[in-house]
Amino acid sequence: MSVIENSKLTVVGAGGVGSSVAYAALIRGSARHVALYDIATEKVEAEVLDLAHGTQFTGTSDIIGGSDVAVAEGSHVVVITAGAKQKPGQTRIELAGTNANILKAMLPQLLEVAPNAIYVIVTNPCDVLTVLAQEATGLPPERIFASGTVLDTSRLRWLLGRRAGVSTSSVHAYIVGEHGDTEFPLWSKTTIGTVPILDWQPADGQPKMTVDELDQIAVDVRDAAYKVIQGKGATNYAIGLSSARIVEAILHDEHAVMPVSTVLQDFHGVSGVALSVPSIVSASGAVAIAETQFSASELGLFRRSADALREVADSLRG
């Protein structure tokens, strides 16, 4: 497959994240046509109007939208951001239950109007929802996956690049596992250019990085969203940009390597859960790279992440 002509992206959910995905896709020219769908009529129409008023400045993309699922008709990619926000005192599992029900009600309607689309789930907890959505729809795992740790990986590369004195794009690093509390960096494969991370000598005279420092950076990446949420109530810009980037990899058939979250089948012995690992993203969807190597301790962390997610998914199937 090659670049999809006259490509169409539908973003489901016109809240802060969904609107930011649509905005990022418009200004990056990610798709020829962008549609925004939400059951809240007044809200989605207002967001579409606001975005449409700027299309003189966004190149060739146009935007439509509304509260009728027909706006998604013929989509090549559907990005799902709809769902309830975590309420104070609400557990992640309770939130997962609410959002799983929203997703299960919505997916059959979307599949009716966009049967051939690739579905990207951004709604949290995205890994658990991806497993449940894949089971509910019966879609092949490569066609329904989560944005996973694409954003977490960008956060990690930004922090490392700043410390190492190089551009973010020159840092080769990945966050893998759950998009959440059990995620971790693949330090054993992290390099600046071709130099292993612990061997890198920053040009500004700073000392080399230490294992303790890398541990702290991993914590900062994992907790980055909490910091943003505390200050402004939600994260939206970076997830909007990273989602638009995933959409481009699909629509341009890039075969780009990105840490998205697919339902794994015998990946280092892990099956039936969705976790982020380096995957090839193209017009046919996302496929995990089976040859990805882990150190022994990283493999332990990966399996711990899988167990944690399996427990949540099982409790929701009950």
Side-chain angles (χ1 to χ4, degrees), residues 257-315:
V257 176
M258 306 175 111
V260 294
S261 177
T262 59
V263 180
L264 300 173
Q265 232 20 70
D266 197 20
F267 181 91
H268 289 284
V270 171
S271 293
V273 287
L275 288 169
S276 289
V277 296
S279 305
I280 293 174
V281 182
S282 69
S284 46
V287 178
I289 299 170
E291 298 77 15
T292 303
Q293 293 173 358
F294 292 76
S295 70
S297 62
E298 288 164 353
L299 208 46
L301 290 171
F302 188 69
R303 294 196 170 130
R304 185 187 72 153
S305 206
D307 291 342
L309 288 175
R310 191 175 282 116
E311 209 174 295
V312 178
D314 286 348
S315 73

Side-chain angles (χ1 to χ4, degrees), residues 16 62 112 209 298:
D62 56 42
E112 212 166 287
M209 284 175 251
E298 288 164 353

Side-chain angles (χ1 to χ4, degrees), residues 155-166:
R155 288 168 172 151
L156 175 68
R157 292 179 183 184
W158 175 72
L159 284 169
L160 290 174
R162 214 171 49 154
R163 171 69 171 84
V166 299

